[in-house]
Amino acid sequence: MEIRILTAEDAEFYRELRIEALMLAPDAFGATLEEALDKPVEITAEQLSSPSATTFGAFVGGRLLGNVTLKRHTAAKLQHRANVVAVYVTPSARGRRIGSRLMDALIEHAKSLEGLEQLYLAVVTDNESAIELYKRSGFEKYGTEYRSMKVESRYIDEDLMVKFL
């Protein structure tokens, strides 16, 4: 397995995995499948080149099986913070510590960034496997955002977690 930072050249792979994630786990993400389908691959390539976001991918046999993104705040008073977003591992690859290895790579990278002190994430309150992954990675729950997302007339709550570097 190869864990590495994705580049613009990986945009097609990333877009395909993102569409899969939104199809199979729509409640886990703020974006919708329709939004992802409407986004040209060129926009994805630009996002993968952003200086304020770093996306890690897990590859096996040349196939992207999982990803995680670190988005650092750019405002002067918030540069000590970053968000962990877009965490996903394809179902056929789960149970092989891919999520843990992605989180480890992200955390090591975060520790190397000057002035970065804390990582934040939000996870759907009933996503027990993701919550356990984040706990094993050193994140602690500090609150719940009730009605964080709304799908038609149904609300989704999210646990808020932090890791101090």
Side-chain angles (χ1 to χ4, degrees):
M1 177 184 332
E2 177 189 16
I3 305 286
R4 66 172 174 79
I5 294 173
L6 299 183
T7 67
E9 288 77 33
D10 299 306
E12 280 285 351
F13 297 129
Y14 179 80
R15 184 174 186 273
E16 288 175 18
L17 193 62
R18 181 70 173 163
I19 288 168
E20 174 188 304
L22 293 169
M23 285 175 40
L24 299 180
D27 288 353
F29 303 98
T32 66
L33 176 60
E34 293 75 20
E35 290 167 334
L37 291 170
D38 287 344
K39 183 189 293 184
V41 72
E42 294 80 14
I43 299 296
T44 301
E46 287 175 23
Q47 291 172 329
L48 290 173
S49 301
S50 170
S52 63
T54 305
T55 299
F56 291 85
F59 290 85
V60 174
R63 183 170 170 234
L64 181 62
L65 300 178
N67 58 261
V68 60
T69 298
L70 179 71
K71 293 182 89 171
R72 187 162 188 184
H73 291 275
T74 57
K77 292 182 181 180
L78 300 176
Q79 288 183 0
H80 67 293
R81 302 168 50 135
N83 292 326
V84 177
V85 298
V87 182
Y88 182 74
V89 174
T90 194
S92 64
R94 293 179 188 164
R96 297 176 12 198
R97 296 194 31 85
I98 292 174
S100 293
R101 292 197 48 201
L102 284 165
M103 291 300 293
D104 291 347
L106 179 139
I107 291 166
E108 285 308 307
H109 176 72
K111 288 178 178 178
S112 76
L113 298 176
E114 186 176 340
L116 188 57
E117 300 174 8
Q118 50 208 64
L119 305 178
Y120 291 87
L121 61 81
V123 56
V124 174
T125 57
D126 64 0
N127 191 341
E128 295 174 15
S129 60
I131 292 168
E132 284 306 310
L133 167 65
Y134 303 142
K135 285 181 180 177
R136 285 192 312 271
S137 297
F139 285 82
E140 299 175 13
K141 179 181 172 181
Y142 68 90
T144 300
E145 186 173 350
Y146 299 103
R147 296 181 165 196
S148 176
M149 294 184 280
K150 186 176 180 180
V151 180
E152 296 173 4
S153 62
R154 181 176 55 89
Y155 293 98
I156 300 168
D157 299 336
E158 290 185 305
D159 287 344
L160 306 174
M161 301 182 83
V162 64
K163 177 179 176 65
F164 296 99
L165 302 174

